[in-house]
Amino acid sequence: MTLMKEPDLGTPAMPGEATVTVEIDGMPITVPPGTSIMRAAAETGIDIPKLCATDSLDAFGSCRLCLVEIDGRRGTPASCTTPVAEGMKVRTQTPKVEKLRQGVMELYISDHPLDCLTCSANGDCELQDMSGVVGLRQVRYGYEGENHLDLLTDDSNPYFNFEASKCIACSRCVRACGEIQGTFALTIEGRGFESKVSAGGVDFMNSECVSCGACVQACPTATLQEKSVVELGMPTRSVITTCAYCGVGCSFKAEMRGDQVVRMVPYKGGDANEGHSCVKGRFAFGYATHKERQLNPMIRESINDEWQVVDWETAISYTAKKLLEVQAKYGSGSIGGITSSRTTNEEVYVVQKMVRAAFGNNNVDTCARVCHSPTGYGLNQTFGTSAGTQDFKSVAKADVIMVIGANPTDAHPVFASRMKKRIREGAKVIVVDPRRIDLVRSAHIEAQYHLPLQPGTNVAMVNAMAHVVVTEGLVAADFVAERCEGYEEWAEFVSREENSPEAVEAITGVPAADVRGAARLYATGGNAAIYYGLGVTEHSQGSTMVMGMANLAMATGNVGRDGVGVNPLRGQNNVQGSCDMGSFPHELPGYRHVSDDAVRELFQAVWGRTILPEPGLRIPNMFDAAIDGTFRALFVQGEDIAQSDPNTKHVFAALESLDLLVVQDLFINETAKLAHVFLPGTSFLEKDGTFTNAERRINRVRPVMAPKTGKHEWEIVCEIAAAMGYPMTYNQTSEIMDEIAALTPTFSGVSFEMLDKVGSVQWPCNDKAPEGTPIMHVDGFVRGKGHFVPTTFVPTDERSTRKFPLILTTGRILSQYNVGAQTRRTANVAWHPEDILEIHPHDAEVRGINNGDMVSLASRVGETTLKATISDRMPVGVVYTTFHHPVTGANVVTTENSDWATNCPEYKVTAVQVGLRHPAIPAEGVARQDIPIAVD
Ligand code: SF4
Ligand code: SF4
Ligand code: SF4
Ligand code: FES
């Protein structure tokens, strides 16, 4: 595809039916009421000159370039701010407006550096374009007068410049920062000639700016521009693809020169993000060409040997031979595989197929085991499907937004921007989180309730809210009677006095009155939506809490329409997809149990191999069995289990005892250091396939360049399977999706051809729902009746003690991602060069800790050192850190406690002690293998 320029219709679309008919330059057009003349004109193919207007922002009316004449009206109104009216006759090109426009342009150009030929935006500058459009031929004012040409450039941001001398004060950047991103970092300071854009009086790097790039995208000149464009020049072609970071799944135009990415531009046509992005997706793609990336296969007999670079044929035959040898010696169940939520659906599908068909067992699991497996279990038990209920757009219809154990502004930033927009429009907010996250209070945001509960007490809290709903008569009785079952038993349970807010106050630490107020607001405030994250799932009662939230939503009738629902904010880009694709040891693709004879027969008929009816090993079982000596070989696709799984000592012991560890990845990560075969993987820029985001949206991932390793990852997996005697042959990636669709009822309508046509689709997509399913459970629950499940609170075994009196909880920060393998290999480290420990002023004071002190953080499983930040965002008794810098040893996490239903580790609750660093402890922390790491 050549460089794609998305049309800019000048002002946003108006909702509703098209009922107003106007005539523009003699052309009739019918549009919804409220549509601007500018947009109506653009929809008929008539472009009115503009500078301050763009269709992602509300009209502002400052540049006066878009003037038109309207029959019967005096003057020359701005077409961007003037709505159409029935019967209106508009003329966009008259001698009068043409003269006015030339005058406006003349003023702009007389105060603009005329270095167009050498300007980095040459060819992509609206000022330049508009000069041509209005027919500017001379600038009568000269360039000698007072001007802005000497203003300095702010290049403090690692990714973009602010070249102030080129600013035309159109305010598009200021409005983008507020309206789209919701950060409000920019203002226009001064008036008239003195007007200038300001990042709060400091440079961009030291401002509130979160580097989302919305201002850069909105800027019509080269004032705000990507440094990569300055360095490399204008891109020449575009490929539409999907971000490989978080579960929002933003669509991007990868803008290329040759096979080099010049910039990533969020795609307006992407339904998940509608043209917005965060700092990671837009800017942090440099890891794909980082010098530490491995491009060649390598093998070695022992992990103490040096790696030997080999060709693909050797690597594949060696891997297959070793796997078969292990099976011959120890039995067919002695080997298995782990799939990754960072890879495509197609790549995941072939790995689980290889395990089930070529390995001949069900020993396949996925990294969702350690993050959102309780979501799958809990929502399946209550609603009948292992996925969130809504599309992202639904939040625009929510009147009450309850955020539980999630920090969207850091972890799901583009969705957070949608959410903040709705909050600014008036939606009420309830935040259930130990920490005062940004959604509690930030620019133009103030939560009605913040319930700062003690980590590990989610279930007590949700039961207390349900107690209020039931005992105060706030239940949606008709909804419950018609659509649910098990209500009576559940209602009796939550009504018990032990579940009252007053009774649980001692457990959660949250005043009963606040819990009552929040529950009433949730139940009576109109459409109420729950959004949650790993602060819900990574607990010993993660699955219980998911069911507790589902109960609450059913009891209040908040399921099955726009603006409501129960919505997991998935951590990784394809965590939904990797679960959908049958990565769990007990489920084939589409969440169908391996014990189901009919399902197995379906797969057997296509795969031509017998599938075992018994579930295989989960990841923790694999580790235990490895140590026991019965599990001897493991294929790991794109996951650093040595970093990301709990009890790292145990993981190391397990991996070290394997006869064969095969790692498919971009970098020699901690797991690969223990591997015998390293198969270099592809970055998202080379992948061909699909990702499924947190709203069940299947999006195409298109290669912008050929695999730097010479092979797609799925090809390697297929070749290993073939070398083991089970040919898995696909001519192209689309054939894998065709097979998925043929075997998975929720995917039966999906194909690459269809996705290329419609852009993206939310599963289920089949005969019943050919255009996909934005909202689930509309006319009834997938399981038939929604199922209320009583959720008894069981305190975690992990308690604070005299030795470890504080509770550590963990999370993410915006600029880094997960254990940082990618983002630490980009300029994003500028924002977060190290993990820090947030500690309440009181807890700091009693320990003699000052801001910036190095402190020791000790749990009963390990100890490390990191910098303290004193923060009243924390409640007393709770400390917090991120886990993006494993090499600094900052990720001291967890016990071996895990969710009772799914084994998801209890990463979010660890009893710790914090003290000023003892000189004996090295500054870089203790050896990594002593420290388990949290993931999401
Ligand atoms: S990059 Fe984003 S946050 Fe920063 S000033 Fe621009 S719009 Fe605002
Ligand atoms: S920086 Fe760009 S978008 Fe912002 S006011 Fe100046 S020209 Fe307009
Ligand atoms: S919000 Fe998530 S998917 Fe979107 S650009 Fe950021 S990291 Fe990528
Ligand atoms: S585009 Fe209408 S006033 Fe600027």
Side-chain angles (χ1 to χ4, degrees):
M1 183 190 280
T2 52
L3 193 67
M4 179 191 199
K5 283 217 170 192
E6 291 178 84
D8 183 347
L9 306 185
T11 62
M14 286 293 128
E17 298 292 310
T19 57
V20 181
T21 301
V22 293
E23 200 179 287
I24 300 175
D25 293 342
M27 302 283 289
I29 170 111
T30 304
V31 291
T35 303
S36 69
I37 293 173
M38 175 179 280
R39 187 175 178 103
E43 286 182 12
T44 61
I46 298 168
D47 286 334
I48 299 174
K50 60 181 177 7
L51 275 173
C52 70
T54 184
D55 60 11
S56 56
L57 299 170
D58 290 340
F60 192 57
S62 70
C63 76
R64 311 303 292 167
L65 203 64
C66 67
L67 309 179
V68 292
E69 290 196 75
I70 302 173
D71 287 4
R73 285 201 196 177
R74 286 201 313 211
T76 50
S79 62
C80 63
T81 51
T82 308
V84 293
E86 185 62 38
M88 189 183 251
K89 288 195 168 129
V90 179
R91 283 172 297 136
T92 70
Q93 298 290 349
T94 66
K96 189 173 176 185
V97 294
E98 282 167 7
K99 191 156 177 245
L100 287 167
R101 287 176 191 153
Q102 285 184 355
V104 169
M105 280 308 297
E106 228 180 321
L107 284 170
Y108 277 125
I109 298 301
S110 67
D111 190 10
H112 199 81
L114 294 182
D115 58 355
C116 290
L117 288 182
T118 51
C119 176
S120 54
N122 188 11
D124 186 32
C125 171
E126 292 180 42
L127 190 70
Q128 197 181 45
D129 293 345
M130 289 307 121
S131 291
V133 166
V134 305
L136 188 69
R137 295 291 176 265
Q138 59 173 340
V139 176
R140 287 164 297 166
Y141 310 118
Y143 304 101
E144 288 77 34
E146 213 180 347
N147 59 46
H148 298 88
L149 303 181
D150 295 331
L151 291 180
L152 296 178
T153 295
D154 173 358
D155 61 0
S156 60
N157 185 290
Y159 295 117
F160 60 83
N161 290 329
F162 174 65
E163 202 175 334
S165 62
K166 292 185 170 166
C167 180
I168 58 170
C170 67
S171 165
R172 275 163 61 162
C173 54
V174 177
R175 289 178 284 140
C177 191
E179 287 176 32
I180 299 172
Q181 166 56 25
T183 292
F184 297 90
L186 303 179
T187 52
I188 296 278
E189 265 179 10
R191 294 177 145 261
F193 181 81
E194 299 300 326
S195 300
K196 62 172 194 210
V197 172
S198 165
V202 292
D203 63 26
F204 272 74
M205 201 54 190
N206 289 297
S207 72
E208 298 291 313
C209 169
V210 294
S211 202
C212 71
C215 56
V216 178
Q217 192 168 339
C219 183
T221 66
T223 314
L224 281 160
Q225 188 158 55
E226 298 91 346
K227 288 182 175 175
S228 57
V229 173
V230 178
E231 281 158 23
L232 301 171
M234 274 294 155
T236 57
R237 67 181 174 99
S238 317
V239 181
I240 296 169
T241 190
T242 305
C243 177
Y245 282 113
C246 85
V248 177
C250 296
S251 294
F252 280 89
K253 289 180 290 180
E255 295 195 345
M256 312 287 299
R257 272 175 88 89
D259 68 350
Q260 192 163 26
V261 180
V262 176
R263 63 181 172 190
M264 299 292 285
V265 179
Y267 179 45
K268 286 201 288 191
D271 286 321
N273 57 321
E274 294 177 325
H276 190 36
S277 75
C278 80
V279 60
K280 295 187 288 288
R282 190 191 291 261
F283 295 122
F285 52 85
Y287 69 87
T289 48
H290 193 275
K291 60 181 185 324
E292 286 167 10
R293 181 157 168 210
Q294 300 296 322
L295 300 176
N296 297 306
M298 296 186 291
I299 59 174
R300 58 184 175 182
E301 274 297 317
S302 146
I303 60 170
N304 299 316
D305 294 344
E306 289 294 313
W307 283 111
Q308 200 189 326
V309 174
V310 292
D311 58 24
W312 275 114
E313 206 184 326
T314 308
I316 286 161
S317 59
Y318 181 86
T319 304
K321 181 171 123 291
K322 287 281 179 183
L323 286 166
L324 289 170
E325 278 173 13
V326 169
Q327 278 192 309
K329 200 162 166 193
Y330 299 100
S332 74
S334 60
I335 67 175
I338 296 176
T339 70
S340 167
S341 298
R342 317 306 315 280
T343 59
T344 63
N345 287 321
E346 293 72 16
E347 288 165 337
V348 169
Y349 178 85
V350 294
V351 170
Q352 64 84 35
K353 180 176 173 181
M354 172 179 75
V355 171
R356 297 186 203 280
F359 292 6
N361 61 49
N362 288 316
N363 292 337
V364 62
D365 206 355
T366 182
C367 51
R369 171 72 54 214
V370 297
C371 67
H372 263 290
S373 49
T375 288
Y377 180 88
L379 294 183
N380 197 29
Q381 292 293 309
T382 46
F383 296 164
T385 191
S386 300
T389 59
Q390 310 298 118
D391 60 357
F392 289 146
K393 286 190 181 99
S394 161
V395 78
K397 299 278 171 49
D399 303 305
V400 178
I401 297 169
M402 183 148 75
V403 179
I404 307 179
N407 185 10
T409 51
D410 278 67
H412 301 86
V414 166
F415 178 66
S417 292
R418 276 186 196 267
M419 197 182 248
K420 288 194 290 185
K421 184 166 191 222
R422 181 61 188 152
I423 296 168
R424 291 197 303 275
E425 289 167 354
K428 307 277 192 292
V429 188
I430 301 165
V431 173
V432 184
D433 199 293
R435 193 158 162 262
R436 201 185 68 231
I437 59 171
D438 285 352
L439 287 176
V440 175
R441 197 171 308 121
S442 51
H444 302 278
I445 303 283
E446 180 84 45
Q448 274 59 41
Y449 291 97
H450 175 210
L451 311 180
L453 75 181
Q454 279 293 304
T457 65
N458 284 336
V459 173
M461 175 64 76
V462 83
N463 287 345
M465 294 183 83
H467 178 96
V468 176
V469 169
V470 172
T471 59
E472 295 190 8
L474 308 178
V475 172
D478 290 348
F479 181 94
V480 170
E482 272 170 36
R483 298 191 46 178
C484 306
E485 62 187 17
Y487 173 75
E488 296 303 329
E489 189 196 346
W490 174 78
E492 185 280 318
F493 161 74
V494 294
S495 302
R496 291 177 201 160
E497 186 49 33
E498 75 214 36
N499 289 320
S500 70
E502 290 70 22
V504 302
E505 185 172 324
I507 299 168
T508 62
V510 178
D514 288 355
V515 178
R516 284 194 180 273
R520 289 172 193 144
L521 176 60
Y522 176 79
T524 65
N527 285 341
I530 294 174
Y531 293 91
Y532 72 93
L534 302 179
V536 161
T537 54
E538 289 179 344
H539 286 273
S540 60
Q541 283 200 290
S543 293
T544 316
M545 180 59 184
V546 173
M547 295 188 287
M549 296 182 302
N551 291 335
L552 195 63
M554 288 189 288
T556 52
N558 279 310
V559 187
R561 61 179 189 278
D562 252 341
V564 298
V566 181
N567 303 287
L569 294 172
R570 302 280 191 158
Q572 310 210 52
N573 52 334
N574 199 34
V575 66
Q576 179 70 55
S578 71
C579 298
D580 301 341
M581 291 299 107
S583 286
F584 289 126
H586 64 295
E587 283 172 341
L588 285 153
Y591 304 98
R592 287 162 298 163
H593 206 279
V594 291
S595 63
D596 185 323
D597 293 343
V599 170
R600 272 199 333 282
E601 274 164 26
L602 187 71
F603 281 87
Q604 285 168 175
V606 175
W607 290 355
R609 282 285 169 106
T610 302
I611 299 166
L612 296 185
E614 299 86 23
L617 299 174
R618 294 176 174 184
I619 292 173
N621 308 139
M622 292 180 194
F623 294 153
D624 292 344
I627 288 169
D628 290 348
T630 55
F631 188 76
R632 311 293 309 177
L634 180 61
F635 180 95
V636 182
Q637 176 195 39
E639 195 193 345
D640 194 1
I641 46 177
Q643 272 199 42
S644 62
D645 283 51
N647 195 356
T648 305
K649 238 179 193 165
H650 185 68
V651 177
F652 269 66
L655 298 182
E656 280 167 350
S657 57
L658 293 172
D659 291 352
L660 178 69
L661 176 60
V662 183
V663 168
Q664 188 173 38
D665 215 299
L666 297 181
F667 302 103
I668 297 290
N669 56 25
E670 297 302 309
T671 309
K673 287 176 187 165
L674 303 174
H676 306 89
V677 177
F678 182 83
L679 305 172
T682 48
S683 76
F684 80 110
L685 296 168
E686 298 139 65
K687 289 185 189 300
D688 185 15
T690 54
F691 289 150
T692 307
N693 76 355
E695 48 169 2
R696 296 170 279 103
R697 185 179 300 286
I698 307 160
N699 250 319
R700 281 283 276 125
V701 186
R702 295 184 180 86
V704 305
M705 59 185 77
K708 286 182 176 295
T709 57
K711 274 188 195 291
H712 286 294
E713 285 182 37
W714 63 261
E715 290 176 314
I716 299 158
V717 172
C718 290
E719 287 174 26
I720 292 171
M724 290 179 76
Y726 177 69
M728 279 166 50
T729 310
Y730 304 97
N731 295 313
Q732 49 199 351
T733 326
S734 62
E735 292 177 9
I736 304 175
M737 178 52 84
D738 294 342
E739 184 174 311
I740 295 166
L743 289 169
T744 313
T746 45
F747 275 67
S748 66
V750 182
S751 66
F752 280 18
E753 194 185 354
M754 182 255 198
L755 292 172
D756 290 343
K757 204 157 29 168
V758 302
S760 65
V761 71
Q762 288 173 269
W763 67 255
C765 173
N766 47 31
D767 285 347
K768 273 198 213 150
E771 289 171 10
T773 311
I775 311 280
M776 300 284 283
H777 318 297
V778 172
D779 299 318
F781 285 95
V782 168
R783 70 181 296 283
K785 295 266 186 186
H787 181 208
F788 281 95
V789 181
T791 51
T792 304
F793 171 61
V794 180
T796 169
D797 291 341
E798 185 72 3
R799 314 267 167 86
S800 52
T801 60
R802 281 181 62 184
K803 192 166 176 204
F804 299 112
L806 302 172
I807 294 292
L808 170 74
T809 192
T810 59
R812 283 196 210 164
I813 202 159
L814 173 70
S815 55
Q816 294 288 349
Y817 185 74
N818 214 331
V819 290
Q822 294 145 296
T823 45
R824 281 186 288 106
R825 292 182 170 100
T826 70
N828 276 28
V829 286
W831 286 279
H832 190 72
E834 59 186 332
D835 291 314
I836 53 165
L837 186 81
E838 287 188 33
I839 183 167
H840 187 274
H842 171 78
D843 292 328
E845 190 182 348
V846 297
R847 290 167 175 78
I849 295 169
N850 293 310
N851 222 13
D853 279 348
M854 296 304 288
V855 294
S856 66
L857 173 70
S859 76
R860 63 184 163 83
V861 295
E863 182 171 355
T864 189
T865 302
L866 67 176
K867 199 178 275 175
T869 289
I870 298 173
S871 163
D872 62 5
R873 286 158 70 106
M874 304 308 304
V876 173
V878 182
V879 292
Y880 170 88
T881 188
T882 49
F883 49 84
H884 304 304
H885 291 270
V887 287
T888 67
N891 297 316
V892 172
V893 186
T894 69
T895 61
E896 287 183 41
N897 294 343
S898 65
D899 175 48
W900 62 272
T902 64
N903 280 146
C904 180
E906 189 180 42
Y907 286 126
K908 300 292 184 186
V909 189
T910 308
V912 294
Q913 178 58 295
V914 175
L916 274 173
R917 183 166 67 87
H918 190 280
I921 300 174
E924 67 275 17
V926 295
R928 272 214 56 263
Q929 53 266 44
D930 292 338
I931 304 165
I933 312 292
V935 295
D936 70 353

